[in-house]
Amino acid sequence: MAEPEWESLEQCLEKHLPPTDLRELDLPSQALECAAEGDFELQGYAFEAAEEQLRGPRTVRVGLVQNRIPLPAEAPVAKQVSALHRRIEAIVEVAAMCGVNIICFQEAWTMPFAFCTREKLPWTEFAESAEDGPTTRFCQKLAKKHNMVVVSPILERDGAHGDVLWNTAVVISNSGAVLGKTRKNHIPRVGDFNESTYYMEGNLGHPVFQTQFGRIAVNICYGRHHPLNWFMYSVNGADIIFNPSATIGALSESMWPIEARNAAIANHCFTCAINRVGKEHFPHEFTSGDGKKAHKDFGYFYGSSYVAAPDSSRTPGLSRTRDGLLVAELNLNLCRQVNDVWNFKMTGRYDMYARELAEAVQPDYRPHIVRE
Ligand SMILES: NC(=O)NCCC(=O)O
């Protein structure tokens, strides 16, 4: 009988967690200096893949940005947006020095995560057009300047359809053109995440964006609890799925290290989990509907952004407390290599599930329970 190799699950996880298995990137000293001066953490790791005879390595560098809001939530809207633009511009400069090809910012990155309040003004004033709002134009400049694909998750106002709001990620090509947009498919109704007061579930399905550096998709925050959401991006061919988020310790920190990592394994792709940092205070008290006292803050956004690979390895997380840029070099060949070993796509029995699910969502469905 085979001997047990590991004393505990924790030992096994430690063995497979970097830095032992993952090569640290040799980042330029200028980038490290700028990050230190700008007071943000900079880490870099490379995921390797086996050499193939017919395909060269498909290497891409992704950048994950996590940050605090630089100004208090009470500050004028335009000043807050401008301060966030300046902060991100400085971090993107460093990403460019590190050779980043695709960068992704945190969920609703141009604003405090004010949806806990259920108030409309001034928070809805942060909403912008995905196609030609000031933030998209700002990101287009960054993309062109640095030859970098930019994933920009914003609060969208859709002027063409009755001015309604959406939680949207705009994908901007390295040419500077807007490649398209994707919307948050699953809207939380948990704790103080009162987002359903502001916008509906996304109506754009599971688009995958073909960029010069690989096929990417964006599964926004709460969508990470829904395995089918990750799965559909993978069905549409995503090599990398970004998960820009805003989530707090008391609610989700125990789930955070597992969910994006599981998704990378289950879907033979890379996943990039990004969370904002710090505590955000709002002018007026709100309650959480749990009998506890009214309060003015959401709780602690714990950062801890990381990248996970299809072979189950992952980078360490960025800090829980500091702004940061995580640079990860991915060899996208790893996706098909792991697929060929584990065959989840081949063994998935999708036709069976499609049939059973189609039946299960019918109003007259009766659960298949076998009784005596
Ligand atoms: N932003 C968001 O969807 N948060 C919900 C809480 C969570 O998914 O951890």
Side-chain angles (χ1 to χ4, degrees):
M1 200 177 80
E3 291 299 311
E5 279 180 273
W6 308 111
E7 190 65 33
S8 65
L9 175 64
E10 282 66 30
Q11 261 196 17
C12 178
L13 289 174
E14 270 168 29
K15 157 77 175 68
H16 291 286
L17 278 173
T20 39
D21 284 4
L22 219 52
R23 178 165 61 83
E24 271 189 56
L25 284 175
D26 200 9
L27 297 173
S29 53
Q30 195 198 358
L32 291 161
E33 280 158 26
C34 285
E37 263 168 40
D39 191 20
F40 62 90
E41 188 186 13
L42 173 61
Q43 289 195 43
Y45 299 94
F47 293 89
E48 318 279 356
E51 222 174 273
E52 297 182 16
Q53 292 184 28
L54 300 181
R55 294 194 303 183
R58 291 192 302 144
T59 307
V60 51
R61 282 196 181 186
V62 293
L64 282 59
V65 181
Q66 64 173 44
N67 57 280
R68 293 172 175 269
I69 48 168
L71 294 182
E74 285 101 326
V77 170
K79 284 202 169 141
Q80 289 192 62
V81 175
S82 168
L84 275 156
H85 282 194
R86 298 290 78 79
R87 182 63 172 152
I88 290 301
E89 189 171 33
I91 297 177
V92 172
E93 284 287 334
V94 172
M97 291 174 202
C98 298
V100 164
N101 307 113
I102 308 173
I103 198 154
C104 182
F105 311 139
Q106 64 200 21
E107 181 183 19
W109 74 269
T110 60
M111 62 182 293
F113 213 71
F115 309 121
C116 50
T117 66
R118 285 183 279 116
E119 301 158 350
K120 296 300 166 95
L121 288 174
W123 317 117
T124 54
E125 289 191 82
F126 284 91
E128 301 180 24
S129 157
E131 285 72 26
D132 57 9
T135 294
T136 294
R137 280 189 266 112
F138 164 76
C139 291
Q140 286 181 285
K141 279 195 200 130
L142 291 181
K144 204 164 179 187
K145 175 173 177 196
H146 298 300
N147 188 30
M148 201 184 280
V149 173
V150 176
V151 180
S152 169
I154 59 166
L155 182 63
E156 177 194 1
R157 189 177 290 283
D158 184 359
H161 297 95
D163 259 352
V164 295
L165 303 179
W166 297 99
N167 186 317
T168 298
V170 186
V171 179
I172 296 149
S173 162
N174 52 316
S175 69
V178 175
L179 195 52
K181 66 184 176 187
T182 180
R183 289 176 175 151
K184 182 170 181 171
N185 281 327
H186 300 273
I187 306 300
R189 289 161 177 80
V190 58
D192 287 335
F193 289 88
N194 297 318
E195 294 166 58
S196 59
T197 304
Y198 298 85
Y199 40 78
M200 296 296 287
E201 281 74 10
N203 58 353
L204 299 179
H206 295 84
V208 167
F209 301 92
Q210 178 73 65
T211 75
Q212 189 189 315
F213 309 108
R215 287 196 296 254
I216 66 170
V218 195
N219 175 356
I220 302 177
C221 195
Y222 186 74
R224 78 181 178 284
H225 312 301
H226 296 269
L228 287 176
N229 205 38
W230 297 100
F231 172 68
M232 281 312 299
Y233 295 115
S234 162
V235 165
N236 285 330
D239 298 310
I240 308 166
I241 307 177
F242 292 94
N243 175 232
S245 299
T247 187
I248 52 166
L251 182 70
S252 64
E253 197 161 2
S254 55
M255 296 145 89
W256 180 256
I258 305 167
E259 290 176 301
R261 193 176 192 182
N262 273 349
I265 298 168
N267 297 295
H268 304 315
C269 66
F270 288 93
T271 59
C272 302
I274 303 167
N275 187 22
R276 65 173 59 204
V277 185
K279 211 165 186 177
E280 299 177 357
H281 299 270
F282 297 96
H284 309 121
E285 288 185 333
F286 52 90
T287 60
S288 303
D290 58 2
K292 292 192 183 146
K293 270 185 132 171
H295 45 278
K296 290 185 173 182
D297 71 79
F298 211 136
Y300 193 76
F301 294 102
Y302 53 84
S304 309
S305 305
Y306 69 95
V307 179
D311 65 358
S312 83
S313 60
R314 57 157 282 187
T315 67
L318 286 176
S319 155
R320 294 182 82 256
T321 58
R322 294 185 67 204
D323 289 10
L325 168 66
L326 176 61
V327 179
E329 185 176 290
L330 323 176
N331 183 345
L332 300 182
N333 285 353
L334 188 62
C335 302
R336 199 173 79 182
Q337 290 175 12
V338 175
N339 190 352
D340 286 347
V341 174
W342 277 98
N343 308 306
F344 295 157
K345 291 280 194 300
M346 186 171 80
T347 59
R349 305 293 311 274
Y350 305 140
D351 53 344
M352 180 179 76
Y353 290 108
R355 209 170 44 245
E356 291 186 21
L357 273 172
E359 286 165 14
V361 296
Q362 294 309 315
D364 61 351
Y365 181 68
R366 297 177 76 86
H368 185 164
I369 301 169
V370 180
R371 297 191 167 87
E372 193 174 351

